[in-house]
């Protein structure tokens, strides 16, 4: 089952229901909240059901926080389908679902995405209002071809001219250039007043509590929107979530906390993001950078972001995954460069040629049109929705992007912690007393708290010993490192040998327990951690 479309709301619900029908009990959907218009926010929980999902290490994945990033929901649905189908035949996925749980929210903006998919408009926030403003131009599909492109208007004082390399390409005018010259606008209507509807949207990725700043798109208060409030409540009630990926488009980069360069990661967490950077490079081909390095010109507007809140207030190893980077696929850039900065004439020509060769109808040559406000203009340019912001539907480009993303997620999920009681020995000291020798180990790659930040937020690993249905004792183990996060202490000995002090991946203890007279029966030992799962072990005691 491969999903190669971008789905309207009711079609997406149909896909979710079809997955339930083939899921063999490892998959369920639930409503965690409602949108402004009353549409449900559907969360998919995927795990082997014999152990409660909250007793397993959790992975959160979400899509369509902004209506224009519809690649996110398609990637989420394909991840869900891969997990559901893999449960019956893929040993790797079986191991993951036995010990981990995936929480997948395919779509945040359940109201506005249908507008994006069924009209020419570009809603940005969580409602279906579609107006977007560029100066006094309100974006509209003036020529009726279903796509909002660009308009060029002849003007002897204009700042643009036609490229000598390609007549479809407009380039900035330089001193000494020969005309004709043009003004360049987005396709739309000219107005001398603002539309009040433009001010009614909220960017959900500016509505979270950490570093919240009131702005035209932030909402009046943190978590003022029903969508953000619902997600925050779910995550706060699921401390087992240790890893979170929020999907966006179209920069081809992994963004780590923080949006503000004055903030910094808790000491010890950078090594986790270094590992993510390597996995991203190997699977997606994407670099990994702090959020504040992403489009620095927009820095002041990126307060109250979801990823920053997840890390700082919940201790989650969180990242924004900017899928799809057509400039890099076209060979215009080789690594992350802000996609909004100007390119050279030669680079833009190369990009237009790649679009023409790889995405049908992505670029349209300029055509004359009589504009109702501006008179004679020409309309042409790039299909922004399904060339720049997302790969085209039903394409190999979309399929490749999704496949690489799934490889990235599965590799990260395999690194989550898993606490296990790896050794248990018992000796009788006398007729009423035993001594237990216990060893607990984190068999995962990352620490049991996942992040160092979470150590001050979550309880540590504990071992509880029960007999006769009563709690006998509880051992607070503390947090355990994973095998991938070794806190190294290197030094040089007199003969030049290098030694290494390995992190604390296991812990051992001895316990003496006084039993009732002639006791025989089970001794139940449970090792647990909010983010490293739960392991039960039963020791059967024979009467001494």
């Amino acid at each position: 089952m491969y999903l190669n479309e971008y789905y309207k709301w009711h079609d997406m619900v149909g896909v979710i229901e079809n997955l339930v029908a083939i899921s063999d009990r490892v998959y369920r959907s639930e409503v965690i909240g409602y949108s402004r218009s009353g549409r449900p926010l559907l969360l998919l929980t995927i795990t082997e059901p014999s152990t409660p999902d909250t007793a397993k290490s959790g992975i959160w994945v979400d899509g369509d926080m902004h209506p224009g990033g519809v690649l996110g929901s398609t990637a989420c649905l394909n991840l869900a389908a891969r997990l559901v189908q893999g449960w019956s035949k893929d040993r790797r996925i079986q191991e993951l679902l036995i010990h981990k749980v995936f929480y997948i929210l395919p779509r945040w903006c359940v109201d506005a995405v249908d507008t994006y998919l069924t009209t020419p408009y570009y809603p940005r926030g969580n409602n279906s209002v579609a107006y977007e403003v560029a100066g006094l131009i309100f974006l509209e599909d003036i020529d009726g071809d279903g796509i909002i492109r660009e308009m060029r208007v002849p003007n002897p004082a204009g700042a643009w001219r036609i490229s000598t390399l390609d007549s479809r390409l407009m380039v900035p005018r330089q001193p000494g250039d020969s005309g004709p010259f043009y003004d360049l606008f987005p396709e739309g209507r000219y107005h001398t007043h603002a539309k009040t509807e433009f001010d009614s949207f909220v960017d959900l990725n500016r509505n979270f509590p950490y570093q919240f700043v009131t702005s035209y798109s932030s909402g009046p208060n943190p978590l003022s929107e029903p969508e953000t409030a619902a997600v925050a409540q779910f995550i706060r009630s699921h401390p087992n979530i240790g890893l979170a990926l929020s999907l966006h488009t179209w920069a081809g980069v992994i963004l780590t906390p923080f949006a503000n360069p004055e903030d910094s990661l808790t000491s010890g967490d950078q090594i986790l993001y270094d590992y993510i950077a390597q996995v991203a490079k190997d699977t997606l081909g994407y670099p990994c950078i702090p959020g504040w390095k992403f489009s620095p010109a927009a820095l002041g507007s990126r307060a109250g972001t979801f990823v920053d809140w997840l890390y700082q207030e919940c201790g989650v190893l969180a990242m924004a995954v900017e899928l799809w980077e057509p400039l890099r696929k076209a060979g215009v850039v080789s690594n992350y460069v802000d996609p909004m900065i100007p390119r050279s004439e030669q680079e833009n020509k190369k990009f237009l040629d790649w679009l023409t060769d790889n995405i049908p109808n992505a670029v349209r040559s300029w055509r004359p049109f009589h504009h109702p406000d501006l008179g004679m203009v020409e309309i042409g340019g790039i299909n922004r929705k399904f060339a720049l912001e997302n790969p085209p539907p039903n394409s190999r480009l979309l399929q490749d992007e999704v496949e690489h993303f799934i490889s990235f997620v599965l590799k990260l999920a395999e690194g989550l912690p898993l606490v296990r009681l790896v050794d248990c020995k018992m000796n009788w000291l006398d007729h009423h007393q035993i001594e237990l020798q216990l060893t607990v180990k984190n068999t995962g790659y990352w620490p049991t708290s996942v992040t160092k930040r979470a150590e001050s937020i979550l309880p540590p690993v504990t071992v509880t010993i029960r007999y006769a249905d009563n709690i006998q004792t509880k051992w607070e183990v503390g947090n355990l490192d994973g095998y991938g996060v070794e806190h190294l202490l290197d030094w040089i000995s007199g003969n030049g040998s290098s030694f290494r002090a390995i992190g604390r991946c296991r812990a051992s203890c001895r316990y003496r327990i006084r039993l009732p007279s002639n006791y025989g029966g089970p001794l139940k030992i449970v090792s647990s951690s909010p983010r490293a799962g739960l392991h039960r072990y039963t020791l059967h005691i024979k009467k001494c």
Side-chain angles (χ1 to χ4, degrees), residues 7-9 12 41 63-64 73 105-110 113-114:
Y7 296 94
K8 299 192 291 289
W9 166 249
M12 188 184 76
L41 297 179
D64 296 5
S73 56
L105 181 71
R107 181 166 295 167
W108 290 74
C109 285
V110 292
V113 169
D114 277 12

Side-chain angles (χ1 to χ4, degrees), residues 105-122:
L105 181 71
R107 181 166 295 167
W108 290 74
C109 285
V110 292
D111 293 337
V113 169
D114 277 12
T115 300
Y116 183 87
L117 291 175
T118 60
T119 75
Y121 300 113
Y122 295 89

Side-chain angles (χ1 to χ4, degrees), residues 399-426:
Q399 185 173 349
D400 287 347
E401 202 72 18
V402 168
E403 286 295 326
H404 294 156
F405 164 71
I406 292 175
S407 296
F408 177 62
V409 176
L410 296 183
K411 182 66 174 177
L412 292 185
E414 287 175 323
L416 286 167
L418 185 65
V419 67
R420 285 292 179 263
L421 182 69
V422 295
D423 190 33
C424 177
K425 295 184 175 67
M426 186 200 77

Side-chain angles (χ1 to χ4, degrees), residues 17 28 56 128 130 137 226 266 309 339 368 413 470 531:
E17 291 173 348
R28 72 174 188 267
K56 299 182 181 183
S128 57
I137 298 292
T266 300
W309 173 78
N470 293 315
R531 290 185 179 166

Side-chain angles (χ1 to χ4, degrees), residues 185-202:
F185 304 106
E187 185 180 353
R189 294 294 301 271
Y190 181 83
H191 291 274
T192 58
H193 62 281
K195 287 184 179 289
T196 57
E197 294 94 331
F198 176 70
D199 296 324
S200 67
F201 83 90
V202 174

